[in-house]
Amino acid sequence: MRVLIAAAIVLSLGGVAFAQAPAINLGAFDKKKDQMQQLKEEEIDRAYRDATQNGKGAAPVSNDPWAAVRAAEQPAPKPAKPVKPAAKPGLQAQTQAQPQQSPWPATPR
């Protein structure tokens, strides 16, 4: 009985190892393309090269999904007001000789 169980285990492991072996196809090297297939593949390759050339042949296409919604002429944007730079806190403390007060109300003593 032990021999049958051991044989079954060995055979099952051998099947898994055999399934992982690469398949060898010797008939694939014998296939040759006929002239019609070669012409068709060359035509497909030529069309692909023509389509992928950068900026040659076709006008650039706008990628604006809201083009139909926007007005034809946009008003010119108003110039932004110049922003004054904020004074540095260290300079204010030097110019004003006031003691800093606590943000908390004074507690009675």
Side-chain angles (χ1 to χ4, degrees):
M1 185 68 173
R2 288 184 184 176
V3 173
L4 290 176
I5 293 174
I9 292 174
V10 168
L11 289 176
S12 65
L13 292 176
V16 174
F18 181 72
Q20 292 180 0
I24 299 174
N25 186 4
L26 298 176
F29 296 111
D30 294 337
K31 289 187 178 180
K32 292 185 180 179
K33 297 179 185 176
D34 63 350
Q35 190 172 1
M36 292 299 288
Q37 287 176 336
Q38 286 178 346
L39 290 174
K40 187 174 183 178
E41 286 184 4
E42 288 175 6
E43 181 182 340
I44 291 171
D45 290 340
R46 191 177 317 114
Y48 173 77
R49 276 186 263 126
D50 291 342
T52 56
Q53 288 179 349
N54 292 336
K56 294 182 181 176
V61 178
S62 174
N63 189 17
D64 188 8
W66 290 92
V69 179
R70 271 193 214 100
E73 293 185 21
Q74 294 285 332
K78 297 179 182 176
K81 295 180 181 178
V83 179
K84 291 183 179 180
K88 294 182 181 177
L91 295 176
Q92 285 180 345
Q94 291 175 359
T95 57
Q96 299 173 356
Q98 296 178 352
Q100 291 186 352
Q101 295 181 354
S102 171
W104 306 103
T107 56
R109 291 186 183 195

